Amino acid sequence: MEKRTDRPSRPVTERRTFYDENNRPVPRRNNREDRPREPRADGDKPRYPHRPAADRSIEMLFGLRPILEALNAGRTLEKIFLLRTTKNSITQDISALAKAANIPVAMVPLEKLDGLTRKNHQGAVAFVSPIDYAPLDNIVARLFEEGKTPLLLILDRITDVRNFGSIARNAECMGVHAIVVPSRGAAQINGDALKTSAGALNLIPVCREPNLKDTIRFLHDSGIQVVGCTEKAEDSLETGAVDLTGPVAILMGSEEDGISPEYLRLTDHTLRIPMAGQISSLNVSVASGIMLFEVLRQRLAVKS
């Protein structure tokens, strides 16, 4: 049976009128953007936290061809990620050029690349370094030619970006001439590192070396003693058991397990930082500042 009603039908396109408490017509808000927005409890975080954040294109390159062109142009790349299943002439050229320039290359699964960027990476992502790495042998030769006493800082597996930035800030303040890092297992130098260093990474040279063993041997041959900072050392820093007024390179290790044994065996001396607390461990950036201050203290005492 047909349902009847006395209410007149309303055209589909007719807009319903709304009234406020004073019976005055008010416009209807159809756009969600016009509605008052209440703050969310999560602090306005992205709705999809599993997706990577928006990329800063100045720090990243995407695609095989752009990365190959960047290498041919001599651009300084921090690290290159290639899709593990991609093997062609371009990837071979990228790997060869990267090896010649001491740029680490990682063969990774697709999930890793998708986690780095939301853009169409085509199986290749590279981080552009905000600094240009300097050759260590040129720096050492120039320091001796200028009559300066070299002070270098070697970092073994310092992977935290902010720690690295803080260490660079300490180094610049204490007169370090260059920071030496391995090409693999080192912190990525990016915008966060530059910010934490308070601009020090724009002032102090950073040398990326493919093999720290060969680097330490080179420093020995150049007349530079290598002093490792480790809690296992017999000599304590405050005793002045080691003369740090001559050419010296301070070796700092990772916070997890310190200096690698293979590098520790090559050091000329080892020193430990005295501590009186119960924790008996320091952040590596703090420890580097203490070690470098002792070098500066001894050198200033000789000058006075």
Side-chain angles (χ1 to χ4, degrees):
M1 187 175 69
E2 182 180 358
K3 185 177 180 180
R4 300 183 61 183
T5 177
D6 295 334
R7 187 170 52 189
S9 60
R10 196 169 58 243
V12 178
T13 58
E14 180 182 345
R15 296 175 62 89
R16 180 174 295 177
T17 304
F18 291 82
Y19 299 87
D20 61 13
E21 64 275 8
N22 296 322
N23 201 27
R24 292 177 300 190
V26 294
R28 182 183 180 184
R29 290 172 177 165
N30 289 326
N31 192 342
R32 289 186 176 182
E33 298 298 328
D34 294 337
R35 299 179 182 178
R37 183 182 177 187
E38 296 181 0
R40 298 212 307 265
D42 58 359
D44 286 341
K45 292 181 180 179
R47 291 181 179 270
Y48 307 99
H50 61 281
R51 298 184 66 184
D55 305 307
R56 290 173 290 182
S57 59
I58 193 173
E59 293 184 357
M60 301 181 76
L61 292 176
F62 314 98
L64 294 172
R65 289 286 182 186
I67 293 175
L68 181 60
E69 292 173 2
L71 290 170
N72 286 325
R75 292 192 67 182
T76 304
L77 302 183
E78 190 69 23
K79 191 171 184 178
I80 301 173
F81 297 89
L82 298 178
L83 185 61
R84 186 178 295 164
T85 56
T86 303
K87 293 182 180 180
N88 51 42
S89 60
I90 300 181
T91 58
Q92 293 175 0
D93 291 342
I94 289 175
S95 299
L97 290 172
K99 183 178 181 180
N102 291 330
I103 300 172
V105 177
M107 307 302 293
V108 297
L110 181 62
E111 293 77 13
K112 174 66 175 180
L113 296 174
D114 290 340
L116 293 174
T117 178
R118 291 177 293 186
K119 295 184 178 179
N120 183 17
H121 50 70
Q122 298 177 339
V125 175
F127 287 93
V128 180
S129 176
I131 67 169
D132 290 326
Y133 291 96
L136 179 61
D137 51 351
N138 291 355
I139 291 178
V140 171
R142 189 184 74 249
L143 289 173
F144 282 120
E145 289 174 0
E146 295 175 353
K148 296 180 180 179
T149 304
L151 172 56
L152 307 174
L153 180 61
I154 307 174
L155 303 180
D156 173 27
R157 294 169 298 136
I158 306 299
T159 57
D160 186 87
V161 172
R162 290 178 175 80
N163 270 343
F164 180 79
S166 297
I167 292 171
R169 184 174 184 175
N170 294 338
E172 203 285 325
C173 291
M174 296 297 155
V176 172
H177 296 110
I179 299 175
V180 181
V181 298
S183 57
R184 293 183 178 273
Q188 178 185 332
I189 300 181
N190 55 18
D192 289 337
L194 285 173
K195 182 178 179 181
T196 310
S197 74
L201 286 170
N202 292 321
L203 302 173
I204 186 170
V206 180
C207 308
R208 183 163 58 183
E209 296 291 304
N211 190 318
L212 286 186
K213 276 187 177 180
D214 294 340
T215 301
I216 294 175
R217 294 191 182 101
F218 164 74
L219 295 176
H220 285 157
D221 295 340
S222 302
I224 300 175
Q225 68 171 341
V226 179
V227 179
C229 176
T230 172
E231 58 184 10
K232 302 175 184 177
E234 295 183 0
D235 294 326
S236 187
L237 185 64
E238 85 284 358
T239 63
V242 178
D243 182 11
L244 302 175
T245 58
V248 63
I250 301 297
L251 174 60
M252 305 295 301
S254 69
E255 292 188 28
E256 288 75 17
D257 50 7
I259 301 171
S260 300
E262 55 186 338
Y263 304 146
L264 202 56
R265 287 191 292 267
L266 296 175
T267 59
D268 298 290
H269 304 283
T270 55
L271 291 171
R272 57 180 171 84
I273 297 174
M275 284 174 282
Q278 298 182 19
I279 298 178
S280 71
S281 65
L282 292 171
N283 177 280
V284 64
S285 64
V286 176
S288 68
I290 295 173
M291 288 292 296
L292 295 174
F293 172 76
E294 175 61 18
V295 178
L296 182 61
R297 186 195 67 80
Q298 290 191 20
R299 293 185 175 188
L300 292 176
V302 170
K303 290 182 179 181
S304 60

